[in-house]
mmCIF file of all heavy atoms in Angstrom:
data_model
loop_
_atom_site.group_PDB
_atom_site.id
_atom_site.type_symbol
_atom_site.label_atom_id
_atom_site.label_comp_id
_atom_site.label_asym_id
_atom_site.label_seq_id
_atom_site.Cartn_x
_atom_site.Cartn_y
_atom_site.Cartn_z
ATOM 1 N N LEU A 1472 23.124 13.348 -1.764
ATOM 2 C CA LEU A 1472 22.963 14.529 -2.630
ATOM 3 C C LEU A 1472 21.729 15.282 -2.079
ATOM 4 O O LEU A 1472 20.814 14.734 -1.529
ATOM 5 C CB LEU A 1472 22.736 14.138 -4.093
ATOM 6 C CG LEU A 1472 23.863 13.400 -4.762
ATOM 7 C CD1 LEU A 1472 23.469 13.151 -6.211
ATOM 8 C CD2 LEU A 1472 25.149 14.262 -4.733
ATOM 9 N N SER A 1473 21.718 16.566 -2.239
ATOM 10 C CA SER A 1473 20.632 17.426 -1.842
ATOM 11 C C SER A 1473 19.392 17.173 -2.789
ATOM 12 O O SER A 1473 19.523 16.515 -3.829
ATOM 13 C CB SER A 1473 21.002 18.896 -1.880
ATOM 14 O OG SER A 1473 21.113 19.339 -3.224
ATOM 15 N N VAL A 1474 18.255 17.650 -2.367
ATOM 16 C CA VAL A 1474 17.033 17.525 -3.201
ATOM 17 C C VAL A 1474 17.334 18.177 -4.577
ATOM 18 O O VAL A 1474 16.992 17.518 -5.590
ATOM 19 C CB VAL A 1474 15.877 18.171 -2.473
ATOM 20 C CG1 VAL A 1474 14.680 18.388 -3.458
ATOM 21 C CG2 VAL A 1474 15.400 17.431 -1.289
ATOM 22 N N ARG A 1475 17.903 19.305 -4.565
ATOM 23 C CA ARG A 1475 18.158 20.020 -5.860
ATOM 24 C C ARG A 1475 19.100 19.197 -6.720
ATOM 25 O O ARG A 1475 18.870 19.008 -7.887
ATOM 26 C CB ARG A 1475 18.718 21.409 -5.611
ATOM 27 C CG ARG A 1475 19.020 22.118 -6.954
ATOM 28 C CD ARG A 1475 19.575 23.495 -6.698
ATOM 29 N NE ARG A 1475 19.895 24.172 -7.943
ATOM 30 C CZ ARG A 1475 19.045 24.865 -8.676
ATOM 31 N NH1 ARG A 1475 17.797 24.985 -8.310
ATOM 32 N NH2 ARG A 1475 19.415 25.368 -9.799
ATOM 33 N N GLU A 1476 20.172 18.682 -6.083
ATOM 34 C CA GLU A 1476 21.198 17.910 -6.820
ATOM 35 C C GLU A 1476 20.536 16.594 -7.406
ATOM 36 O O GLU A 1476 20.868 16.175 -8.486
ATOM 37 C CB GLU A 1476 22.379 17.586 -5.933
ATOM 38 C CG GLU A 1476 23.180 18.845 -5.633
ATOM 39 C CD GLU A 1476 24.190 18.561 -4.539
ATOM 40 O OE1 GLU A 1476 23.918 17.619 -3.649
ATOM 41 O OE2 GLU A 1476 25.201 19.302 -4.445
ATOM 42 N N ASN A 1477 19.728 15.963 -6.611
ATOM 43 C CA ASN A 1477 19.000 14.780 -7.082
ATOM 44 C C ASN A 1477 18.215 15.052 -8.330
ATOM 45 O O ASN A 1477 18.152 14.202 -9.217
ATOM 46 C CB ASN A 1477 18.073 14.177 -5.996
ATOM 47 C CG ASN A 1477 18.753 13.086 -5.191
ATOM 48 O OD1 ASN A 1477 18.768 11.883 -5.574
ATOM 49 N ND2 ASN A 1477 19.227 13.471 -3.989
ATOM 50 N N LEU A 1478 17.585 16.247 -8.356
ATOM 51 C CA LEU A 1478 16.669 16.545 -9.458
ATOM 52 C C LEU A 1478 17.444 16.948 -10.713
ATOM 53 O O LEU A 1478 17.108 16.491 -11.827
ATOM 54 C CB LEU A 1478 15.763 17.678 -9.108
ATOM 55 C CG LEU A 1478 14.640 17.399 -8.072
ATOM 56 C CD1 LEU A 1478 13.939 18.570 -7.539
ATOM 57 C CD2 LEU A 1478 13.655 16.365 -8.591
ATOM 58 N N VAL A 1479 18.515 17.788 -10.555
ATOM 59 C CA VAL A 1479 19.123 18.296 -11.764
ATOM 60 C C VAL A 1479 20.172 17.417 -12.337
ATOM 61 O O VAL A 1479 20.505 17.574 -13.501
ATOM 62 C CB VAL A 1479 19.763 19.678 -11.449
ATOM 63 C CG1 VAL A 1479 18.712 20.671 -10.918
ATOM 64 C CG2 VAL A 1479 20.884 19.567 -10.423
ATOM 65 N N MET A 1480 20.641 16.378 -11.597
ATOM 66 C CA MET A 1480 21.762 15.592 -12.100
ATOM 67 C C MET A 1480 21.363 14.782 -13.361
ATOM 68 O O MET A 1480 22.256 14.486 -14.166
ATOM 69 C CB MET A 1480 22.269 14.604 -11.012
ATOM 70 C CG MET A 1480 21.332 13.523 -10.621
ATOM 71 S SD MET A 1480 22.098 12.343 -9.576
ATOM 72 C CE MET A 1480 23.429 11.679 -10.587
ATOM 73 N N SER A 1481 20.136 14.379 -13.458
ATOM 74 C CA SER A 1481 19.727 13.550 -14.613
ATOM 75 C C SER A 1481 18.714 14.308 -15.504
ATOM 76 O O SER A 1481 18.104 13.736 -16.423
ATOM 77 C CB SER A 1481 19.119 12.311 -14.204
ATOM 78 O OG SER A 1481 17.955 12.490 -13.317
ATOM 79 N N ALA A 1482 18.534 15.597 -15.237
ATOM 80 C CA ALA A 1482 17.542 16.390 -15.976
ATOM 81 C C ALA A 1482 17.934 16.538 -17.459
ATOM 82 O O ALA A 1482 19.130 16.653 -17.802
ATOM 83 C CB ALA A 1482 17.359 17.728 -15.326
ATOM 84 N N LYS A 1483 16.916 16.555 -18.309
ATOM 85 C CA LYS A 1483 17.096 16.824 -19.728
ATOM 86 C C LYS A 1483 16.317 18.109 -20.053
ATOM 87 O O LYS A 1483 15.303 18.355 -19.430
ATOM 88 C CB LYS A 1483 16.568 15.685 -20.598
ATOM 89 C CG LYS A 1483 17.363 14.396 -20.386
ATOM 90 C CD LYS A 1483 16.794 13.274 -21.294
ATOM 91 C CE LYS A 1483 17.580 11.993 -21.037
ATOM 92 N NZ LYS A 1483 17.011 10.869 -21.885
ATOM 93 N N PRO A 1484 16.733 18.864 -21.030
ATOM 94 C CA PRO A 1484 16.064 20.063 -21.385
ATOM 95 C C PRO A 1484 14.650 19.749 -21.967
ATOM 96 O O PRO A 1484 14.490 18.825 -22.753
ATOM 97 C CB PRO A 1484 16.910 20.716 -22.427
ATOM 98 C CG PRO A 1484 17.758 19.628 -23.009
ATOM 99 C CD PRO A 1484 17.967 18.674 -21.815
ATOM 100 N N ALA A 1485 13.642 20.526 -21.555
ATOM 101 C CA ALA A 1485 12.321 20.319 -22.046
ATOM 102 C C ALA A 1485 12.224 20.791 -23.470
ATOM 103 O O ALA A 1485 12.699 21.840 -23.881
ATOM 104 C CB ALA A 1485 11.332 21.089 -21.197
ATOM 105 N N ARG A 1486 11.493 19.988 -24.300
ATOM 106 C CA ARG A 1486 11.278 20.400 -25.746
ATOM 107 C C ARG A 1486 10.327 21.543 -25.791
ATOM 108 O O ARG A 1486 10.324 22.348 -26.714
ATOM 109 C CB ARG A 1486 10.841 19.183 -26.546
ATOM 110 C CG ARG A 1486 11.867 18.122 -26.712
ATOM 111 C CD ARG A 1486 11.389 17.054 -27.657
ATOM 112 N NE ARG A 1486 10.218 16.298 -27.054
ATOM 113 C CZ ARG A 1486 10.371 15.286 -26.264
ATOM 114 N NH1 ARG A 1486 11.621 14.796 -25.947
ATOM 115 N NH2 ARG A 1486 9.348 14.608 -25.792
ATOM 116 N N ASP A 1487 9.434 21.620 -24.836
ATOM 117 C CA ASP A 1487 8.334 22.591 -24.817
ATOM 118 C C ASP A 1487 8.324 23.192 -23.401
ATOM 119 O O ASP A 1487 8.098 22.492 -22.449
ATOM 120 C CB ASP A 1487 7.001 22.024 -25.179
ATOM 121 C CG ASP A 1487 5.921 23.054 -25.299
ATOM 122 O OD1 ASP A 1487 5.933 24.080 -24.624
ATOM 123 O OD2 ASP A 1487 4.924 22.811 -25.963
ATOM 124 N N ALA A 1488 8.598 24.459 -23.190
ATOM 125 C CA ALA A 1488 8.657 25.124 -21.929
ATOM 126 C C ALA A 1488 7.304 25.011 -21.190
ATOM 127 O O ALA A 1488 7.253 24.968 -19.976
ATOM 128 C CB ALA A 1488 9.004 26.563 -22.087
ATOM 129 N N LYS A 1489 6.175 24.900 -21.939
ATOM 130 C CA LYS A 1489 4.881 24.868 -21.277
ATOM 131 C C LYS A 1489 4.546 23.497 -20.877
ATOM 132 O O LYS A 1489 3.983 23.278 -19.725
ATOM 133 C CB LYS A 1489 3.820 25.362 -22.247
ATOM 134 C CG LYS A 1489 3.925 26.893 -22.516
ATOM 135 C CD LYS A 1489 2.752 27.367 -23.387
ATOM 136 C CE LYS A 1489 2.829 28.853 -23.605
ATOM 137 N NZ LYS A 1489 1.685 29.355 -24.444
ATOM 138 N N SER A 1490 4.814 22.449 -21.672
ATOM 139 C CA SER A 1490 4.423 21.085 -21.306
ATOM 140 C C SER A 1490 5.492 20.265 -20.662
ATOM 141 O O SER A 1490 5.270 19.249 -20.092
ATOM 142 C CB SER A 1490 3.942 20.341 -22.648
ATOM 143 O OG SER A 1490 4.992 20.298 -23.550
ATOM 144 N N GLY A 1491 6.795 20.741 -20.785
ATOM 145 C CA GLY A 1491 7.921 19.986 -20.189
ATOM 146 C C GLY A 1491 7.967 20.094 -18.727
ATOM 147 O O GLY A 1491 7.383 20.945 -18.100
ATOM 148 N N TRP A 1492 8.682 19.129 -18.201
ATOM 149 C CA TRP A 1492 8.859 19.097 -16.702
ATOM 150 C C TRP A 1492 10.188 19.752 -16.259
ATOM 151 O O TRP A 1492 11.209 19.082 -16.268
ATOM 152 C CB TRP A 1492 8.698 17.673 -16.188
ATOM 153 C CG TRP A 1492 7.328 17.186 -16.158
ATOM 154 C CD1 TRP A 1492 6.604 16.543 -17.198
ATOM 155 C CD2 TRP A 1492 6.296 17.254 -15.164
ATOM 156 N NE1 TRP A 1492 5.342 16.302 -16.852
ATOM 157 C CE2 TRP A 1492 5.147 16.731 -15.602
ATOM 158 C CE3 TRP A 1492 6.389 17.824 -13.837
ATOM 159 C CZ2 TRP A 1492 3.991 16.705 -14.785
ATOM 160 C CZ3 TRP A 1492 5.295 17.755 -13.062
ATOM 161 C CH2 TRP A 1492 4.048 17.182 -13.479
ATOM 162 N N THR A 1493 10.089 21.019 -15.969
ATOM 163 C CA THR A 1493 11.270 21.782 -15.583
ATOM 164 C C THR A 1493 11.410 21.634 -14.082
ATOM 165 O O THR A 1493 10.531 21.176 -13.350
ATOM 166 C CB THR A 1493 11.118 23.263 -15.941
ATOM 167 O OG1 THR A 1493 9.984 23.773 -15.255
ATOM 168 C CG2 THR A 1493 10.916 23.416 -17.461
ATOM 169 N N TYR A 1494 12.553 22.158 -13.580
ATOM 170 C CA TYR A 1494 12.832 22.218 -12.140
ATOM 171 C C TYR A 1494 11.725 22.979 -11.420
ATOM 172 O O TYR A 1494 11.197 22.599 -10.391
ATOM 173 C CB TYR A 1494 14.172 22.819 -11.853
ATOM 174 C CG TYR A 1494 14.490 22.915 -10.368
ATOM 175 C CD1 TYR A 1494 14.977 21.866 -9.613
ATOM 176 C CD2 TYR A 1494 14.335 24.227 -9.814
ATOM 177 C CE1 TYR A 1494 15.291 22.095 -8.293
ATOM 178 C CE2 TYR A 1494 14.674 24.365 -8.436
ATOM 179 C CZ TYR A 1494 15.094 23.295 -7.717
ATOM 180 O OH TYR A 1494 15.366 23.471 -6.365
ATOM 181 N N GLU A 1495 11.346 24.126 -12.041
ATOM 182 C CA GLU A 1495 10.317 24.975 -11.403
ATOM 183 C C GLU A 1495 8.979 24.304 -11.361
ATOM 184 O O GLU A 1495 8.239 24.412 -10.360
ATOM 185 C CB GLU A 1495 10.184 26.301 -12.214
ATOM 186 C CG GLU A 1495 11.390 27.217 -12.045
ATOM 187 C CD GLU A 1495 12.629 26.745 -12.894
ATOM 188 O OE1 GLU A 1495 12.441 25.906 -13.810
ATOM 189 O OE2 GLU A 1495 13.697 27.175 -12.522
ATOM 190 N N ARG A 1496 8.622 23.547 -12.400
ATOM 191 C CA ARG A 1496 7.370 22.820 -12.449
ATOM 192 C C ARG A 1496 7.316 21.715 -11.423
ATOM 193 O O ARG A 1496 6.305 21.525 -10.733
ATOM 194 C CB ARG A 1496 7.075 22.290 -13.805
ATOM 195 C CG ARG A 1496 5.687 21.577 -13.914
ATOM 196 C CD ARG A 1496 5.405 21.063 -15.327
ATOM 197 N NE ARG A 1496 4.089 20.427 -15.388
ATOM 198 C CZ ARG A 1496 3.644 19.859 -16.507
ATOM 199 N NH1 ARG A 1496 4.332 19.864 -17.642
ATOM 200 N NH2 ARG A 1496 2.391 19.354 -16.493
ATOM 201 N N VAL A 1497 8.434 21.059 -11.272
ATOM 202 C CA VAL A 1497 8.488 19.975 -10.223
ATOM 203 C C VAL A 1497 8.301 20.579 -8.810
ATOM 204 O O VAL A 1497 7.599 20.011 -7.986
ATOM 205 C CB VAL A 1497 9.780 19.157 -10.410
ATOM 206 C CG1 VAL A 1497 9.991 18.251 -9.127
ATOM 207 C CG2 VAL A 1497 9.797 18.314 -11.615
ATOM 208 N N MET A 1498 9.014 21.643 -8.590
ATOM 209 C CA MET A 1498 8.865 22.306 -7.256
ATOM 210 C C MET A 1498 7.450 22.748 -6.996
ATOM 211 O O MET A 1498 6.939 22.681 -5.853
ATOM 212 C CB MET A 1498 9.822 23.538 -7.203
ATOM 213 C CG MET A 1498 11.279 23.175 -7.087
ATOM 214 S SD MET A 1498 11.767 22.492 -5.495
ATOM 215 C CE MET A 1498 11.873 20.737 -5.988
ATOM 216 N N LYS A 1499 6.800 23.259 -8.068
ATOM 217 C CA LYS A 1499 5.406 23.671 -7.863
ATOM 218 C C LYS A 1499 4.495 22.456 -7.662
ATOM 219 O O LYS A 1499 3.494 22.552 -6.826
ATOM 220 C CB LYS A 1499 4.901 24.445 -9.081
ATOM 221 C CG LYS A 1499 3.542 25.008 -9.047
ATOM 222 C CD LYS A 1499 3.209 25.776 -10.267
ATOM 223 C CE LYS A 1499 1.750 26.414 -10.239
ATOM 224 N NZ LYS A 1499 1.450 27.160 -11.430
ATOM 225 N N THR A 1500 4.755 21.329 -8.312
ATOM 226 C CA THR A 1500 3.989 20.184 -8.181
ATOM 227 C C THR A 1500 4.194 19.521 -6.767
ATOM 228 O O THR A 1500 3.238 18.969 -6.174
ATOM 229 C CB THR A 1500 4.282 19.130 -9.240
ATOM 230 O OG1 THR A 1500 4.150 19.732 -10.493
ATOM 231 C CG2 THR A 1500 3.493 17.862 -9.147
ATOM 232 N N PHE A 1501 5.380 19.590 -6.284
ATOM 233 C CA PHE A 1501 5.709 18.991 -4.923
ATOM 234 C C PHE A 1501 6.214 20.142 -3.997
ATOM 235 O O PHE A 1501 7.427 20.263 -3.745
ATOM 236 C CB PHE A 1501 6.836 17.949 -5.079
ATOM 237 C CG PHE A 1501 6.460 16.786 -5.896
ATOM 238 C CD1 PHE A 1501 6.959 16.611 -7.178
ATOM 239 C CD2 PHE A 1501 5.582 15.820 -5.390
ATOM 240 C CE1 PHE A 1501 6.608 15.500 -7.934
ATOM 241 C CE2 PHE A 1501 5.237 14.658 -6.158
ATOM 242 C CZ PHE A 1501 5.736 14.580 -7.449
ATOM 243 N N PRO A 1502 5.277 20.974 -3.531
ATOM 244 C CA PRO A 1502 5.686 22.091 -2.677
ATOM 245 C C PRO A 1502 6.457 21.698 -1.427
ATOM 246 O O PRO A 1502 7.253 22.501 -0.860
ATOM 247 C CB PRO A 1502 4.383 22.797 -2.307
ATOM 248 C CG PRO A 1502 3.307 21.788 -2.583
ATOM 249 C CD PRO A 1502 3.833 20.978 -3.704
ATOM 250 N N ARG A 1503 6.252 20.474 -0.932
ATOM 251 C CA ARG A 1503 7.000 19.999 0.225
ATOM 252 C C ARG A 1503 8.516 19.985 -0.073
ATOM 253 O O ARG A 1503 9.340 20.173 0.829
ATOM 254 C CB ARG A 1503 6.527 18.645 0.691
ATOM 255 C CG ARG A 1503 5.117 18.551 1.239
ATOM 256 C CD ARG A 1503 4.671 17.154 1.433
ATOM 257 N NE ARG A 1503 5.417 16.468 2.421
ATOM 258 C CZ ARG A 1503 4.986 16.269 3.735
ATOM 259 N NH1 ARG A 1503 3.867 16.766 4.093
ATOM 260 N NH2 ARG A 1503 5.781 15.600 4.581
ATOM 261 N N LEU A 1504 8.848 19.714 -1.311
ATOM 262 C CA LEU A 1504 10.282 19.595 -1.631
ATOM 263 C C LEU A 1504 10.900 20.995 -1.656
ATOM 264 O O LEU A 1504 12.164 21.156 -1.387
ATOM 265 C CB LEU A 1504 10.506 18.979 -3.026
ATOM 266 C CG LEU A 1504 10.131 17.511 -3.147
ATOM 267 C CD1 LEU A 1504 10.372 17.000 -4.557
ATOM 268 C CD2 LEU A 1504 10.786 16.679 -2.065
ATOM 269 N N THR A 1505 10.143 22.047 -1.942
ATOM 270 C CA THR A 1505 10.638 23.423 -1.896
ATOM 271 C C THR A 1505 11.186 23.744 -0.524
ATOM 272 O O THR A 1505 12.245 24.377 -0.335
ATOM 273 C CB THR A 1505 9.545 24.404 -2.269
ATOM 274 O OG1 THR A 1505 9.002 24.087 -3.552
ATOM 275 C CG2 THR A 1505 10.095 25.831 -2.295
ATOM 276 N N GLU A 1506 10.546 23.261 0.495
ATOM 277 C CA GLU A 1506 10.940 23.508 1.914
ATOM 278 C C GLU A 1506 12.175 22.692 2.307
ATOM 279 O O GLU A 1506 12.885 23.050 3.248
ATOM 280 C CB GLU A 1506 9.808 23.144 2.838
ATOM 281 C CG GLU A 1506 8.497 23.886 2.588
ATOM 282 C CD GLU A 1506 7.335 23.306 3.359
ATOM 283 O OE1 GLU A 1506 7.564 22.412 4.190
ATOM 284 O OE2 GLU A 1506 6.215 23.772 3.136
ATOM 285 N N ARG A 1507 12.489 21.673 1.511
ATOM 286 C CA ARG A 1507 13.570 20.754 1.868
ATOM 287 C C ARG A 1507 14.691 20.762 0.807
ATOM 288 O O ARG A 1507 15.520 19.854 0.707
ATOM 289 C CB ARG A 1507 12.991 19.316 1.954
ATOM 290 C CG ARG A 1507 11.822 19.216 2.854
ATOM 291 C CD ARG A 1507 12.169 19.111 4.271
ATOM 292 N NE ARG A 1507 12.463 17.717 4.674
ATOM 293 C CZ ARG A 1507 13.118 17.419 5.803
ATOM 294 N NH1 ARG A 1507 13.518 18.357 6.603
ATOM 295 N NH2 ARG A 1507 13.318 16.114 6.073
ATOM 296 N N VAL A 1508 14.759 21.803 -0.030
ATOM 297 C CA VAL A 1508 15.597 21.777 -1.246
ATOM 298 C C VAL A 1508 17.042 21.587 -0.957
ATOM 299 O O VAL A 1508 17.765 21.021 -1.717
ATOM 300 C CB VAL A 1508 15.330 23.066 -2.051
ATOM 301 C CG1 VAL A 1508 15.807 24.281 -1.302
ATOM 302 C CG2 VAL A 1508 15.954 22.923 -3.442
ATOM 303 N N ASN A 1509 17.493 21.932 0.187
ATOM 304 C CA ASN A 1509 18.919 21.829 0.563
ATOM 305 C C ASN A 1509 19.210 20.651 1.444
ATOM 306 O O ASN A 1509 20.398 20.403 1.757
ATOM 307 C CB ASN A 1509 19.481 23.119 1.256
ATOM 308 C CG ASN A 1509 19.434 24.345 0.307
ATOM 309 O OD1 ASN A 1509 19.849 24.207 -0.878
ATOM 310 N ND2 ASN A 1509 18.975 25.454 0.786
ATOM 311 N N ASN A 1510 18.194 19.895 1.807
ATOM 312 C CA ASN A 1510 18.400 18.711 2.589
ATOM 313 C C ASN A 1510 18.928 17.547 1.753
ATOM 314 O O ASN A 1510 18.614 17.458 0.614
ATOM 315 C CB ASN A 1510 17.087 18.304 3.244
ATOM 316 C CG ASN A 1510 16.671 19.172 4.433
ATOM 317 O OD1 ASN A 1510 15.981 20.197 4.230
ATOM 318 N ND2 ASN A 1510 17.069 18.870 5.618
ATOM 319 N N LEU A 1511 19.676 16.660 2.382
ATOM 320 C CA LEU A 1511 20.143 15.445 1.697
ATOM 321 C C LEU A 1511 19.040 14.463 1.479
ATOM 322 O O LEU A 1511 18.019 14.505 2.282
ATOM 323 C CB LEU A 1511 21.251 14.822 2.450
ATOM 324 C CG LEU A 1511 22.564 15.748 2.651
ATOM 325 C CD1 LEU A 1511 23.615 14.980 3.445
ATOM 326 C CD2 LEU A 1511 23.050 16.255 1.300
ATOM 327 N N GLY A 1512 19.193 13.558 0.628
ATOM 328 C CA GLY A 1512 18.213 12.506 0.319
ATOM 329 C C GLY A 1512 17.864 11.698 1.569
ATOM 330 O O GLY A 1512 16.738 11.361 1.764
ATOM 331 N N ASN A 1513 18.886 11.372 2.393
ATOM 332 C CA ASN A 1513 18.667 10.576 3.593
ATOM 333 C C ASN A 1513 18.070 11.339 4.760
ATOM 334 O O ASN A 1513 17.834 10.770 5.841
ATOM 335 C CB ASN A 1513 19.965 9.862 3.990
ATOM 336 C CG ASN A 1513 21.112 10.818 4.313
ATOM 337 O OD1 ASN A 1513 20.884 12.017 4.391
ATOM 338 N ND2 ASN A 1513 22.307 10.246 4.458
ATOM 339 N N GLN A 1514 17.858 12.603 4.587
ATOM 340 C CA GLN A 1514 17.189 13.402 5.572
ATOM 341 C C GLN A 1514 15.705 13.651 5.362
ATOM 342 O O GLN A 1514 15.048 14.328 6.078
ATOM 343 C CB GLN A 1514 17.853 14.774 5.692
ATOM 344 C CG GLN A 1514 19.337 14.689 6.179
ATOM 345 C CD GLN A 1514 20.055 16.031 6.116
ATOM 346 O OE1 GLN A 1514 19.824 16.864 5.164
ATOM 347 N NE2 GLN A 1514 20.962 16.315 6.996
ATOM 348 N N LEU A 1515 15.200 13.059 4.254
ATOM 349 C CA LEU A 1515 13.817 13.196 3.925
ATOM 350 C C LEU A 1515 12.968 12.032 4.497
ATOM 351 O O LEU A 1515 13.479 10.950 4.668
ATOM 352 C CB LEU A 1515 13.682 13.179 2.340
ATOM 353 C CG LEU A 1515 14.464 14.257 1.605
ATOM 354 C CD1 LEU A 1515 14.189 14.110 0.123
ATOM 355 C CD2 LEU A 1515 14.162 15.644 2.045
#
Side-chain angles (χ1 to χ4, degrees):
L1472 296 182
S1473 70
V1474 167
R1475 180 181 177 85
E1476 289 168 338
N1477 264 280
L1478 289 172
V1479 301
M1480 68 171 298
S1481 58
K1483 295 179 181 178
R1486 291 185 295 272
D1487 183 335
K1489 292 185 178 180
S1490 62
W1492 285 88
T1493 62
Y1494 176 81
E1495 291 74 20
R1496 184 178 181 183
V1497 169
M1498 288 291 102
K1499 184 177 180 181
T1500 302
F1501 297 105
R1503 292 171 65 101
L1504 294 182
T1505 304
E1506 304 168 4
R1507 309 279 273 165
V1508 67
N1509 293 317
N1510 287 87
L1511 300 180
N1513 60 9
Q1514 296 175 326
L1515 305 179

